[in-house]
Amino acid sequence: MKKLLNRGRFSLLAAFTLLYLSLSFFVRVVLLSLSFNDLSFSFIEILKAFGMGFLFDLTVALSFVMLYNLYLLLFPKKWDGSWFDKIFTYFYFVVVLFIVFFSLMAEFPFWEEFGVRFNFIAVDYLIYTYEVVSNINESYPLPIIIITLFVLVAASLFLFKKNRAFTNTFSSEIPFFKRLTVSVPILILSACLLVFLTNSMAEFSLNSVVNEVAKNGVFSFFRAYRSNELDYEKFYQTLPEKEAYSILKKNLIQENQAYNSNQIDAILRTTQGSDEIRPNIVMVVIESFSGEFISAFGNQDHITPNFDELTNNSIFFTNLYATGTRTVRGMEALTLSVPPTPGNSIVRRPKNDNLFSIATILKQRNYHPYFIYGGDGYFDNMNSFFGGQGFDIVDRNRGNPLSDKIKTHRYNIPDNEVSFENAWGVCDEDLYKQTLKYADKSSEEKQPFFQVVMTTSNHRPYTFPAGKIDLDQGTRNAAVKYTDFALGKFLKEAKTKPWFSNTVFVVVADHCASSAGKWEININKHHIPAIIYNLKNEPENINRLTSQIDLLPTLLGYLNWGYDTQFYGKDINQTKPGDERAFIANYRTLGFLKNGVFTQVNDRKGAIQFEVSDDGKSMNETQKPNKNLINETISYYQTASERFKNGKMKTE
């Protein structure tokens, strides 16, 4: 067999496999060095990571040549080296090598952004090709990248040719039964690796860098594709339904609430109110607005002067945490007020219309809800989700017919109202002009309005109108400063409007700019700022631990509203001391922060706890797990998943 691989018909297959293993090893070394500061150094763990990595790499290499292996087995030997044989072989390896080099190169920016191998985010991005391809084109020198890829492909082919891999492949006439002795063992090995190897085998360390280095990007991509939605009961620890709901209902209830039913799974409760005030509400959700950008949290670059000034005149949440790492998770948390269920966000799932949401409560008071977005709301299923909750849509219609299939009105941002746009949508200034436009419209109709305004300027490629700020385009700091500039300009213009005095502004991030770090979930990388501005209340700082899902219930508390609710979020001002908590998760691991302990449950039916210090920058695994906190964590996530799955979140 060795002779056949090295000298015979299978020599090109062997050469490709060796090349892929070498390139993957090199990528693994580079990724390890890029995250060296987040690495918990253990020689044994690193050695194990490279050992596991070899198995993943071998699996992917053999998968790339599986079709070619079958071709070598079945192609008649008398035609070996024919023109068809040469054309097919060269074409096959040009395509495969192009894919290989593209995937390996793409791992580096993905690692820089997320600190992990390809996952469900990469899968999602394939669906929205316009935004993603345009973003790549605007962020990177795409022609140079394509040329580089073809140069690398050509160099690889030259290397194969120099080492006689092509010559040996085309000149060897091996009988069918001898080919069987090579091809079949390779196919069996490939099948066994694909069946039995899972990404969870690489997750043997508490250090996220070690685990991710052990994986292979292509393998992780396809595993994520297969597990983009996770059934909670199948993959996670569960409690008996009665116990889960009993724990949940005990922890959901506020000082000013009472349950409407004694039924075990009924969480609808009535919130007492008095002397309600009913202002217009504008909720600005800022893309990737990490707490680390804010002066109040230690930033020395002074890139958010307008937001910094607002914090002194607002209700300022200083200890608030985003539930996830993507925009759709922020939208889910802010509008539905539920923990992040495993797999895809509810925003992106089917059957997500008519859910109990903030719009349910607002429409009872005749508010006109708008979702205002600078891009095409087809992206990430946003239009379908918001339309399904009764929001009218204002977005940049790029002609996608699927985006028009909503139950409410959709208003297009016309060309003559756009001064600048990039891959993700119009600039923040243009977006805020739409916000003012539809606020004016509702005001003229004498109808209170609620607007969810989703910005995009603070997103790669970090481009915006020239001459607005004193930083060059193309960097995160510049994008943050422009975003802050646009926010300040918007509020200045809003102050000139007759509806301003009766309008409350909520400004909050959807998630942080980066989630990468030492652990699988890095608490400090979920710390986001939020303010409630233009309330009649005196400005104050809320320093208590708060979840993103608590923001709007807290706002309703300031407005003194009495309402029925199914929210998992709570008014922080009606929460007993010691009951504060935050939900922080990725698409597989679900976290719960309470009383300085961070509990994680994962899709391998496991649970682990950490003692948290230094504002989440330090975590140490606890030796004696707190069973009560584990059960509380399970109760939240299990019931939230069950309620969506079985339609209990529906309002009709």
Side-chain angles (χ1 to χ4, degrees):
M1 181 182 292
K2 183 178 179 181
K3 181 179 179 181
L4 290 174
L5 286 171
N6 292 339
R7 299 285 183 182
R9 182 70 166 152
F10 292 83
S11 59
L12 185 56
L13 183 151
F16 170 84
T17 302
L18 181 61
L19 175 65
Y20 185 80
L21 292 173
S22 302
L23 291 171
S24 296
F25 177 84
F26 172 75
V27 169
R28 188 166 283 109
V29 171
V30 174
L31 295 181
L32 188 70
S33 64
L34 290 174
S35 297
F36 189 80
N37 291 336
D38 293 321
L39 187 66
S40 292
F41 187 80
S42 167
F43 180 76
I44 298 299
E45 286 193 346
I46 293 175
L47 190 64
K48 187 175 180 180
F50 276 82
M52 286 297 304
F54 173 80
L55 291 178
F56 287 115
D57 297 343
L58 180 61
T59 304
V60 173
L62 295 179
S63 299
F64 272 126
V65 293
M66 188 176 292
L67 178 61
Y68 188 67
N69 185 17
L70 289 170
Y71 168 80
L72 294 177
L73 173 63
L74 301 175
F75 194 71
K77 72 171 185 176
K78 64 180 180 179
W79 291 339
D80 290 355
S82 64
W83 63 268
F84 178 86
D85 187 24
K86 291 179 179 179
I87 290 174
F88 178 84
T89 299
Y90 274 104
F91 176 79
Y92 186 92
F93 279 97
V94 166
V95 172
V96 168
L97 285 168
F98 189 89
I99 295 171
V100 165
F101 282 114
F102 177 82
S103 65
L104 292 176
M105 289 176 64
E107 289 224 47
F108 295 108
F110 196 85
W111 184 275
E112 179 187 12
E113 184 81 11
F114 302 105
V116 296
R117 298 284 194 164
F118 294 140
N119 58 17
F120 78 106
I121 298 174
V123 175
D124 288 349
Y125 279 178
L126 279 186
I127 300 172
Y128 305 105
T129 52
Y130 176 85
E131 287 83 359
V132 174
V133 172
S134 298
N135 181 40
I136 292 173
N137 187 43
E138 294 173 6
S139 303
Y140 305 100
L142 196 57
I144 295 176
I145 291 174
I146 293 174
I147 292 171
T148 301
L149 288 171
F150 278 112
V151 169
L152 290 171
V153 170
S156 300
L157 295 177
F158 176 78
L159 181 65
F160 292 158
K161 194 173 185 67
K162 185 178 180 181
N163 287 278
R164 301 183 59 80
F166 281 111
T167 302
N168 294 332
T169 296
F170 295 142
S171 62
S172 299
E173 295 184 358
I174 304 172
F176 176 76
F177 288 103
K178 282 191 176 181
R179 297 201 301 272
L180 275 176
T181 63
V182 179
S183 183
V184 171
I186 294 174
L187 288 172
I188 292 174
L189 176 61
S190 303
C192 290
L193 288 170
L194 286 169
V195 169
F196 295 108
L197 203 61
T198 65
N199 258 359
S200 62
M201 294 178 181
E203 295 166 355
F204 52 84
S205 172
L206 291 178
N207 185 265
S208 176
V209 175
V210 172
N211 292 338
E212 293 299 325
V213 161
K215 298 175 185 178
N216 175 285
V218 174
F219 187 93
S220 295
F221 176 88
F222 284 100
R223 285 296 182 185
Y225 179 81
R226 292 178 59 187
S227 60
N228 213 12
E229 290 194 25
L230 299 174
D231 184 275
Y232 186 92
E233 290 186 2
K234 180 178 180 180
F235 291 101
Y236 295 83
Q237 285 190 39
T238 60
L239 297 169
E241 182 182 35
K242 185 175 181 180
E243 181 181 359
Y245 272 101
S246 177
I247 295 172
L248 175 73
K249 294 176 77 168
K250 177 183 176 182
N251 286 290
L252 278 187
I253 199 73
Q254 294 176 184
E255 297 279 339
N256 60 339
Q257 290 180 337
Y259 283 107
N260 294 14
S261 169
N262 292 325
Q263 186 175 332
I264 185 62
D265 61 350
I267 66 170
L268 186 70
R269 53 208 187 275
T270 297
T271 308
Q272 296 176 359
S274 62
D275 300 323
E276 288 190 7
I277 55 175
R278 297 188 180 183
N280 307 304
I281 304 169
V282 177
M283 181 168 69
V284 178
V285 185
I286 300 182
E287 170 70 39
S288 304
F289 200 50
S290 300
E292 63 184 295
F293 300 140
I294 309 305
S295 296
F297 298 152
N299 187 284
Q300 300 296 316
D301 295 328
H302 305 294
I303 52 178
T304 58
N306 293 292
F307 189 87
D308 293 338
E309 183 178 351
L310 287 171
T311 62
N312 297 321
N313 300 286
S314 306
I315 309 297
F316 179 29
F317 295 81
T318 66
N319 199 15
L320 179 74
Y321 290 85
T323 61
T325 61
R326 297 200 62 202
T327 297
V328 285
R329 283 299 186 191
M331 291 175 173
E332 173 188 82
L334 293 165
T335 57
L336 301 180
S337 191
V338 294
T341 51
N344 253 323
S345 164
I346 290 173
V347 174
R348 299 197 66 250
R349 294 188 193 178
K351 300 180 180 179
N352 64 1
D353 58 332
N354 298 314
L355 302 178
F356 189 93
S357 70
I358 185 63
T360 307
I361 298 169
L362 291 164
K363 285 189 291 184
Q364 293 171 355
R365 289 161 172 78
N366 197 37
Y367 275 72
H368 190 158
Y370 285 98
F371 171 60
I372 304 176
Y373 178 59
D376 190 331
Y378 168 71
F379 184 78
D380 267 343
N381 202 46
M382 291 185 288
N383 280 359
S384 177
F385 171 76
F386 279 98
Q389 315 318 318
F391 286 77
D392 281 352
I393 308 296
V394 180
D395 74 334
R396 184 72 166 146
N397 191 334
R398 288 175 172 145
N400 193 314
L402 295 177
S403 197
D404 288 321
K405 295 182 178 181
I406 58 175
K407 299 178 180 179
T408 54
H409 294 100
R410 185 185 185 198
Y411 303 99
N412 181 44
I413 301 175
D415 291 343
N416 62 2
E417 295 179 16
V418 176
S419 64
F420 180 93
E421 66 181 317
N422 60 20
W424 297 106
V426 304
C427 65
D428 287 359
E429 289 175 272
D430 291 342
L431 180 67
Y432 288 134
K433 288 178 182 177
Q434 299 300 313
T435 305
L436 296 170
K437 173 182 174 180
Y438 287 94
D440 288 342
K441 180 176 181 292
S442 293
S443 179
E444 290 169 2
E445 295 170 352
K446 300 188 183 304
Q447 184 175 18
F449 56 85
F450 173 71
Q451 298 178 335
V452 176
V453 184
M454 183 68 230
T455 76
T456 59
S457 288
N458 188 27
H459 193 297
R460 193 182 296 275
Y462 311 133
T463 54
F464 44 84
K468 302 294 182 177
I469 60 170
D470 58 359
L471 295 177
D472 293 331
Q473 298 193 36
T475 66
R476 173 71 77 177
N477 269 12
V480 171
K481 192 164 189 177
Y482 170 73
T483 288
D484 179 78
F485 161 81
L487 176 66
K489 181 179 178 182
F490 163 60
L491 291 175
K492 183 177 180 180
E493 293 176 356
K495 288 178 181 179
T496 66
K497 301 292 184 177
W499 45 260
F500 175 81
S501 61
N502 189 40
T503 302
V504 171
F505 299 84
V506 179
V507 184
V508 61
D510 58 349
H511 57 81
C512 282
S514 172
S515 60
K518 183 176 181 179
W519 298 279
E520 183 176 8
I521 297 178
N522 298 276
I523 295 172
N524 62 310
K525 296 297 183 72
H526 289 257
H527 185 210
I528 58 173
I531 59 170
I532 300 175
Y533 172 67
N534 210 33
L535 274 174
K536 305 307 179 185
N537 303 59
E538 289 294 318
E540 65 174 310
N541 287 0
I542 295 181
N543 301 317
R544 302 173 69 187
L545 175 64
T546 312
S547 176
Q548 197 174 26
I549 73 172
D550 299 327
L551 186 59
L552 287 189
T554 300
L555 170 64
L556 299 184
Y558 279 112
L559 302 182
N560 301 319
W561 283 16
Y563 60 97
D564 288 344
T565 179
Q566 296 183 38
F567 288 160
Y568 279 64
K570 300 168 67 174
D571 178 354
I572 191 64
N573 295 315
Q574 295 290 337
T575 302
K576 296 178 182 178
D579 285 350
E580 304 92 342
R581 76 283 180 273
F583 302 91
I584 306 173
N586 59 32
Y587 79 110
R588 291 176 51 204
T589 301
L590 313 173
F592 181 70
L593 178 62
K594 185 175 182 179
N595 297 329
V597 177
F598 188 52
T599 305
Q600 294 180 185
V601 294
N602 58 46
D603 58 350
R604 300 180 299 283
K605 294 187 179 293
I608 188 171
Q609 289 181 319
F610 299 90
E611 293 180 357
V612 178
S613 58
D614 194 20
D615 296 326
K617 297 176 184 176
S618 179
M619 298 201 306
N620 294 295
E621 185 181 2
T622 57
Q623 300 304 311
K624 294 182 179 181
N626 185 321
K627 187 63 176 176
N628 289 334
L629 283 178
I630 292 175
N631 287 345
E632 188 175 347
T633 304
I634 294 170
S635 73
Y636 276 113
Y637 286 111
Q638 177 182 330
T639 57
S641 299
E642 185 269 334
R643 292 180 66 78
F644 177 76
K645 178 181 178 181
N646 294 325
K648 295 177 183 177
M649 288 187 184
K650 296 276 189 178
T651 58
E652 59 181 47

